[in-house]
């Protein structure tokens, strides 16, 4: 298997907003967690890399003698087609997807994968190897067979493969000829009603139509349409639609750079990442993601003790995400550890208060929403605002989640300022003038304190922390928050300093100071996109466009990005696909594109 064998993260996500899978360049499932994105992996080969010599944690459909494999998504869908050919003219096409469509007045998104194998030329012979893992590869998977199915006991659930292919040949991993389309449905341990071929083909057609209907509603820019659409679809896949939570990525433990030990579990909902995701999709008019996420957020706020908001939660709103190491898997390309859970849930990261308010504030103004926010919602948000007011000048772990140091971070303070500033605007809209006065006075005072504490007159720049004179790419976000204007000398000085200190060619580091794991070596992709936005806003339009084109060229064959890039080799690292990075791509494309009036 080419599990972690592909250093370029050449992986193709499929999914239905309940489950997902990553398919490698050979067309094999190498990552997929059940019954939801933060569950145990049924497909874990991405993080195995030879620890189990016989191979496990994958689902491969292999053409005998294959010499060429090509892959593509069906247009405007997350449905993958993989074509396998040999030198004798034999070829098959495998179509992979997770069903998702409207049925009985609601979205049908089962915990199920469908694979369809079609012979397209010659007399192709294939072998099917389905070897799921159990309990993070710590235990063997038992299986039983029926006349048209195989059951796989994974401990926390049982999967059933129903298929029109010969069951005995699948069980024995025998090579056989494909003379007709073959259909595979891997899902719940239930009998398959109806004809599997007819049902799978119908589900494929309905799923294609569902995704293309969703894409049709996007307000995309004129340029870079394919890149924007693919990013939007993938961000949608990162939403757990049942609750509205948005995960930071579909994977865990892909290192930030080779051998770094910076291996984290990103299959949870960070308030910060989800804010940026909904902000980007709002620009495309994908209000369904925002509406679902706001429902999730309202429950988080309701359950928050005294208004305290954690940096992240489980997709079901779970507050405790205890971190542990799973030794049954060697890690991506053998670079462990494999971490499950994320201890950052226990950190203090005060910017979350700002992101809660900023995510919600649109609901007070946007009349397109099914449920607009009212005074009751405002009163609930005020509890979050109170925490922002009390916390903005207090030390925390910051947005980069430092585990061993605490500072008052300028970015977090500015996010708290934004919470109070936007509450004042919402109060004005609701006619609550006394509350508007309270929140505006607080925002004004906070703004003065932040400038006094973070501005460094001798270096003519803002510091990333209230103490010292540190550089941090998040200072660029003072522009997006409207804390500083693009022509403000304080912002221009800060931008010059950040670009000089953190830019490495066409890459941006988060920071260049030692942290808990030493000096960071990888560039953080979202920071490069932040730089592009700032270059454009300050009049360096051609520089912004050139840098954006470079970022587009770094995408995987699937059109996606991970979290990090090696600034020396250009190799992608970090969890994948990363919502942050795709947000940056969408934001910059909408900002830099020529208007539609250019072609109309």
């Amino acid at each position: 298997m080419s599990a972690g064998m592909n250093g370029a993260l050449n992986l193709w996500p499929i999914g239905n907003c309940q489950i997902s899978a990553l398919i490698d360049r050979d067309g094999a499932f190498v990552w997929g967690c059940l019954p939801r994105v933060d569950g145990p992996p049924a497909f874990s080969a991405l993080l195995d890399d030879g620890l189990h010599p016989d191979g496990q944690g994958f689902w491969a459909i292999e053409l005998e003698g294959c010499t060429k494999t090509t892959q593509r998504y069906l247009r405007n869908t997350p449905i993958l087609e993989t074509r396998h050919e040999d030198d004798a003219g034999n070829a098959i096409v495998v179509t992979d997807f997770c069903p998702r469509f409207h049925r009985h007045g609601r979205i049908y998104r089962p915990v199920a994968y469908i694979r369809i194998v079609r012979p397209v030329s010659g007399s192709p012979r294939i072998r099917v190897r389905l070897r799921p893992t159990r309990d993070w590869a710590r235990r063997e998977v038992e299986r039983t067979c029926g006349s048209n199915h195989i059951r796989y006991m994974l401990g926390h659930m049982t999967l059933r493969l129903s298929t029109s292919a010969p069951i005995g040949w699948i069980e024995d991993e025998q090579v056989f000829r494909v003379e007709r389309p073959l259909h595979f449905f891997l899902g719940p341990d239930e009998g398959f009603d109806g004809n599997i071929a007819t049902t799978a083909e119908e589900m494929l057609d309905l799923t294609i139509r569902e995704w293309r209907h969703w894409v049709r509603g996007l307000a995309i820019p004129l340029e870079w349409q394919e890149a924007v659409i693919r990013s939007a679809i993938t961000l949608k896949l990162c939403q757990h639609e049942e609750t509205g939570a948005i995960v930071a990525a579909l994977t865990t433990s892909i290192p930030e750079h080779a051998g770094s030990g910076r291996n984290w579990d990103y299959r949870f909902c960070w308030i910060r990442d989800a804010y940026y995701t909904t902000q980007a999709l709002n620009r495309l008019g994908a209000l369904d993601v925002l509406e679902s996420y706001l429902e999730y957020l309202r429950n988080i706020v309701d359950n928050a003790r005294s208004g305290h908001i954690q940096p992240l939660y489980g997709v079901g709103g779970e507050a405790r995400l205890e971190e542990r190491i799973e030794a049954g898997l060697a890690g991506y390309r053998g670079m462990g550890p494999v971490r499950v859970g994320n201890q950052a849930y226990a950190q203090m990261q005060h910017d979350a208060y700002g992101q809660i308010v900023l995510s919600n504030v649109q609901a007070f103004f946007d009349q397109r929403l099914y449920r607009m926010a009212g005074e009751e919602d405002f009163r609930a948000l005020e509890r979050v605002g109170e925490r922002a007011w009390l916390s903005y000048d207090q030390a925390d772990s910051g947005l980069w989640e430092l585990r061993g140091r605490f500072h008052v971070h300028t970015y977090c303070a500015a996010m708290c300022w934004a919470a109070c500033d936007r509450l004042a605007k919402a109060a004005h809209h609701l006619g609550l003038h006394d509350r508007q006065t309270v929140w505006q006075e607080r925002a004004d005072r906070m703004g003065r304190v932040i400038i006094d504490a973070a501005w460094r007159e001798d270096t003519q720049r803002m510091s990333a922390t209230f103490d010292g004179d540190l550089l941090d790419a998040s200072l660029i976000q003072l522009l997006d928050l409207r804390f500083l204007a693009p022509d403000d000398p304080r912002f221009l000085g800060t931008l010059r300093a950040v670009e000089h200190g953190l830019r490495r060619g066409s890459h941006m580091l988060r920071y260049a100071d030692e942290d808990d794991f030493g000096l960071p070596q990888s560039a953080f992709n979202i920071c490069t996109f932040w730089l592009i936005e700032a270059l454009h806003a300050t009049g360096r339009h051609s520089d912004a466009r050139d840098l954006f084109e470079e970022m587009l060229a770094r995408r995987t064959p699937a059109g996606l990005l991970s979290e990090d890039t090696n600034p020396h080799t250009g190799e992608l690292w970090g969890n994948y696909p990363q919502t942050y990075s795709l947000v940056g791509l969408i934001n910059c494309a909408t900002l830099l594109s020529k208007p539609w009036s250019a072609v109309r």
Side-chain angles (χ1 to χ4, degrees), residues 79-257:
I79 299 169
L80 181 64
E81 279 191 351
T82 302
R83 180 185 176 97
H84 301 285
E85 306 172 40
D86 65 17
D87 290 337
N90 302 304
I92 61 170
V93 170
V94 181
T95 304
D96 294 320
F97 70 103
C98 297
R100 182 180 179 276
F101 49 85
H102 276 85
R103 189 174 76 170
H104 305 314
R106 62 181 183 272
I107 285 284
Y108 173 69
R109 47 173 187 269
V111 179
Y113 304 101
I114 293 180
R115 311 194 77 176
I116 302 173
V117 181
R118 305 186 198 278
V120 293
S121 66
S123 302
R125 287 161 50 85
I126 67 168
R127 178 173 67 161
V128 179
R129 295 194 291 161
L130 175 51
R131 301 180 182 180
T133 39
R134 175 180 176 181
D135 296 337
W136 295 89
R138 282 185 278 112
R139 299 181 186 175
E140 293 293 322
V141 174
E142 298 178 25
R143 64 183 184 181
T144 61
C145 287
S147 56
N148 294 102
H149 71 264
I150 305 175
R151 298 170 69 242
Y152 299 88
M153 279 70 87
L154 305 185
H156 69 291
M157 66 181 298
T158 297
L159 287 177
R160 179 186 294 229
L161 175 70
S162 301
T163 180
S164 58
I167 281 293
W169 292 349
I170 305 302
E171 184 183 19
D172 297 338
E173 298 183 354
Q174 183 174 331
V175 177
F176 63 95
R177 181 181 288 198
V178 182
E179 298 184 335
R180 56 184 168 82
L182 301 175
H183 298 80
F184 300 83
F185 185 96
L186 182 66
D189 187 23
E190 304 166 357
F192 196 93
D193 294 331
N195 180 281
I196 186 170
T198 302
T199 303
E201 295 288 353
E202 180 184 15
M203 287 184 173
L204 174 61
D205 182 60
L206 290 171
T207 301
I208 291 172
R209 280 194 273 168
E210 185 70 36
W211 281 105
R212 288 181 175 166
H213 177 74
W214 185 79
V215 168
R216 190 171 178 269
L218 298 178
I220 60 174
L222 170 62
E223 297 183 86
W224 310 297
Q225 292 183 39
E226 187 176 349
V228 169
I229 289 170
R230 182 55 51 203
S231 296
I233 287 173
T234 308
L235 289 180
K236 177 71 175 170
L237 289 182
C238 289
Q239 182 167 54
H240 186 68
E241 207 165 40
E242 180 183 333
T243 63
I246 301 168
V247 298
L250 299 178
T251 57
T252 178
S253 302
I254 300 181
E256 292 181 13
H257 59 82

Side-chain angles (χ1 to χ4, degrees), residues 337-489:
V338 172
R339 287 189 174 93
V340 181
N342 198 306
Q343 207 61 31
Y345 84 89
Q347 288 187 351
M348 300 297 291
Q349 297 175 26
H350 299 320
D351 58 312
Y353 303 123
Q355 285 128 11
I356 288 274
V357 174
L358 267 60
S359 294
N360 274 275
V361 76
Q362 182 172 341
F364 293 99
F365 298 92
D366 195 335
Q367 296 193 30
R368 296 172 297 172
L369 298 174
Y370 287 126
R371 183 193 182 280
M372 291 188 69
E375 187 172 338
E376 183 179 345
D377 300 292
F378 177 81
R379 300 296 183 188
L381 275 185
E382 282 196 299
R383 296 203 308 272
V384 180
E386 291 290 345
R387 294 293 302 214
W389 166 242
L390 294 172
S391 305
Y392 82 99
D393 58 354
Q394 302 299 305
D396 68 357
S397 298
L399 79 161
W400 306 126
E401 302 186 337
L402 301 175
R403 296 195 170 198
R405 294 184 310 187
F406 301 92
H407 296 281
V408 181
H409 292 89
T410 304
Y411 170 87
C412 295
M415 266 292 179
C416 289
W417 164 86
C420 298
D421 179 75
R422 303 320 192 257
L423 281 171
K425 289 176 170 56
H428 174 74
H429 182 73
L430 294 171
L432 304 174
H433 300 301
D434 57 333
R435 302 310 299 161
Q436 177 190 357
T437 299
V438 168
W439 290 112
Q440 193 60 61
E441 287 178 350
R442 288 180 172 180
D444 292 344
R445 180 177 172 187
M446 294 162 76
R448 291 191 296 271
V449 170
I450 293 169
I451 291 294
D452 289 344
W455 176 249
R456 300 293 176 261
E457 185 66 31
D458 53 341
T459 53
Q460 289 291 294
R461 69 191 192 199
M462 298 285 284
S463 169
T465 55
F466 280 16
D467 60 320
D469 192 1
L470 300 177
L471 283 178
D472 182 325
S474 66
L475 289 169
I476 301 174
Q477 285 291 281
L478 298 178
L479 177 65
D480 187 67
L481 290 174
R482 302 198 304 274
F483 185 83
L484 294 177
D487 59 352
D488 189 321

Side-chain angles (χ1 to χ4, degrees), residues 254-322:
I254 300 181
E256 292 181 13
H257 59 82
S260 66
R262 301 171 189 259
N263 302 12
W264 314 114
D265 192 347
Y266 276 13
R267 302 169 302 145
F268 306 111
C269 183
W270 269 259
I271 302 301
R272 178 186 312 111
D273 300 53
Y275 156 69
Y276 281 111
T277 298
T278 55
Q279 181 191 51
L281 290 176
N282 286 346
R283 291 175 176 170
L284 303 181
L287 293 180
D288 59 318
V289 176
L290 172 67
E291 288 185 309
S292 297
Y293 177 60
L294 288 183
E295 184 175 345
Y296 175 83
L297 268 192
R298 285 191 289 269
N299 282 288
I300 294 295
V301 171
D302 285 349
N303 294 330
R305 299 186 307 274
S306 305
H308 168 62
I309 302 296
Q310 295 178 190
L312 66 150
Y313 295 85
V315 296
E318 297 86 356
R320 294 185 65 83
L321 304 171
E322 296 288 349

